[in-house]
Amino acid sequence: MKENIKIKWEDKPYYSFNCMLKERFNRKVYKVSINAGMTCPNRDGKIDTRGCIFCSRGGSGDFAGKSKESIQTQIDKQIKIMQNKSNVSDFIAYFQAYTNTYAPLEYLKQVFYEAINHPNIVALSIATRPDCLDDNIIELISSLNKIKPVWIELGLQTIHEKTAEYIRRGYDLKCFEKAVNKLRKENIDVIVHTILGLPGENRKDIIDTIEYLNKKDIQGIKLQLLHVLKNTDLAKDYIENKFKVYTMDEYIDMVIDCIEHLRKDIVIHRITGDGPKKILIAPLWSGNKKKVLNTLHHEFKIREAYQGKKYNKN
């Protein structure tokens, strides 16, 4: 079993994003983060005006380019920076900030085609909400997917409706399921965002979310540590001691448990996350990403843990 894992997943005990990219493109590929100047129904008043409780003013796109610049300019600038550090020519255009299908169809065509036609772009990754994927938008994404690979990232965070209400997610689980089914019908890869450590959730709640996703036709997952960022309503609750964040040891224990329960063919696009240091309130240990990953991989070895070790089909 261990030997097969080593062959398939290279040097990691789980199916990493980098491993998948090497399988698909047979070379090193990096992401460039795009800000297409969109907003979100949780911010413009359609659902709410406050955004999700944990979301920064940058709409989870704090590392993305500047929305005032064209898509091509954002791509070219980031490529230039990365090429100064390493010899790489292939990139994924990651539409990261806010909700990236929440705009008129003609505008979406403009920005997506500008990205996909860039000679250095080999794929698109589009972060959005399941309630912002009507049939016309899915048809557009399907047409793009025939040019170069496109995958859609959906911010589920949790399956538990009580938590979803607290974080102001703004849609129910049926909406998520409907979106996944429509996307998969068009053979579009689905990546699901989850957050570990949401207030009020215990270990069983989190594993229940993983086991729910195991039964869905998804191709990837992001396991995101809960970050408390400045100028968010989550920060107010944290300062008022309404919840505690994970210690590094607690998080490593939780994320390994999640991965052991996770279906083996699901690609792990993110295993932790480092919030912008200028606005990060807690947990501050997450800012040392290298230490977190080194400790995590060391713990995997000690436990002889690997993806799918505790997976149960039933």
Side-chain angles (χ1 to χ4, degrees):
M1 180 65 195
K2 291 180 185 177
E3 193 63 32
N4 290 338
I5 289 172
K6 188 175 181 180
I7 293 169
K8 180 174 176 54
W9 296 334
E10 298 177 323
D11 60 337
K12 292 185 174 64
Y14 54 85
Y15 195 3
S16 72
F17 180 52
N18 284 335
C19 182
M20 180 275 284
L21 291 178
K22 287 180 182 178
E23 289 175 351
R24 184 170 291 195
F25 300 107
N26 199 31
R27 56 195 180 276
K28 191 73 174 176
V29 180
Y30 287 90
K31 274 186 178 180
V32 290
S33 295
I34 308 298
N35 187 335
M38 299 185 210
T39 182
C40 174
N42 233 357
R43 287 178 178 268
D44 70 357
K46 184 177 181 180
I47 296 174
D48 206 309
T49 58
R50 298 168 294 172
C52 291
I53 196 170
F54 51 78
C55 197
S56 70
R57 289 175 179 174
S60 299
D62 299 288
F63 298 111
K66 297 178 180 179
S67 61
K68 293 180 180 179
E69 297 177 337
S70 70
I71 302 302
Q72 180 169 334
T73 299
Q74 291 184 53
I75 293 171
D76 288 341
K77 280 188 174 182
Q78 292 183 60
I79 286 177
K80 185 177 181 180
I81 292 170
M82 292 185 192
Q83 287 183 333
N84 286 336
K85 298 178 182 179
S86 61
N87 184 24
V88 61
S89 59
D90 297 318
F91 298 86
I92 298 161
Y94 179 27
F95 286 82
Q96 181 180 20
Y98 300 101
T99 302
N100 289 280
T101 57
Y102 190 57
L105 187 64
E106 288 306 311
Y107 180 73
L108 295 178
K109 287 180 180 179
Q110 176 191 327
V111 295
F112 292 155
Y113 274 103
E114 188 175 350
I116 208 164
N117 287 328
H118 192 289
N120 293 100
I121 294 299
V122 298
L124 300 188
S125 182
I126 301 170
T128 190
R129 296 167 55 94
D131 55 351
C132 296
L133 287 166
D134 65 29
D135 291 344
N136 289 330
I137 291 172
I138 290 179
E139 184 180 349
L140 169 61
I141 295 167
S142 181
S143 66
L144 292 164
N145 195 41
K146 292 177 174 66
I147 300 170
K148 294 175 184 177
V150 179
W151 51 80
I152 296 295
E153 301 194 17
L154 297 177
L156 176 66
Q157 321 311 354
T158 179
I159 64 167
H160 303 288
E161 297 297 349
K162 184 178 180 180
T163 312
E165 184 178 348
Y166 169 71
I167 64 175
R168 300 197 296 259
R169 191 178 66 191
Y171 66 84
D172 60 20
L173 209 52
K174 288 183 179 179
C175 177
F176 169 79
E177 292 171 352
K178 185 177 179 180
V180 171
N181 291 338
K182 283 186 174 183
L183 290 165
R184 292 305 299 143
K185 189 176 179 181
E186 297 298 322
N187 200 33
I188 298 163
D189 283 4
V190 176
I191 318 303
V192 180
H193 292 208
T194 62
I195 296 180
L196 310 188
L198 287 168
E201 292 204 350
N202 58 29
R203 180 180 295 267
K204 182 181 182 303
D205 294 327
I206 295 169
I207 296 301
D208 284 348
T209 292
I210 297 298
E211 291 182 339
Y212 164 87
L213 291 172
N214 280 335
K215 297 174 183 177
K216 301 302 173 185
D217 186 10
I218 69 167
Q219 288 61 55
I221 192 170
K222 285 188 173 180
L223 299 166
Q224 173 66 51
L225 166 67
L226 178 71
H227 287 131
V228 181
L229 304 178
K230 292 179 181 178
N231 301 314
T232 63
D233 288 342
L234 184 69
K236 294 177 184 177
D237 285 357
Y238 178 73
I239 292 167
E240 292 173 5
N241 293 315
K242 291 183 178 180
F243 70 95
K244 295 184 181 298
V245 295
Y246 284 136
T247 65
M248 188 172 77
D249 288 344
E250 287 171 338
Y251 179 72
I252 286 173
D253 182 57
M254 188 70 250
V255 79
I256 289 176
D257 201 11
C258 287
I259 291 170
E260 286 190 310
H261 281 86
L262 188 66
R263 213 175 67 217
K264 293 177 185 176
D265 63 296
I266 296 177
V267 179
I268 299 175
H269 286 237
R270 180 182 295 158
I271 202 168
T272 175
D274 48 342
K277 292 182 181 179
K278 289 183 179 180
I279 60 172
L280 179 66
I281 295 175
L284 293 176
W285 57 261
S286 66
N288 190 344
K289 190 173 181 179
K290 185 176 181 180
K291 180 182 179 181
V292 175
L293 290 175
N294 286 342
T295 306
L296 177 66
H297 291 140
H298 178 69
E299 194 66 24
F300 263 109
K301 289 180 182 179
I302 291 175
R303 300 186 187 192
E304 297 186 339
Y306 56 85
Q307 184 173 341
K309 184 177 181 180
K310 299 176 182 177
Y311 168 62
N312 186 349
K313 290 182 180 180
N314 299 324

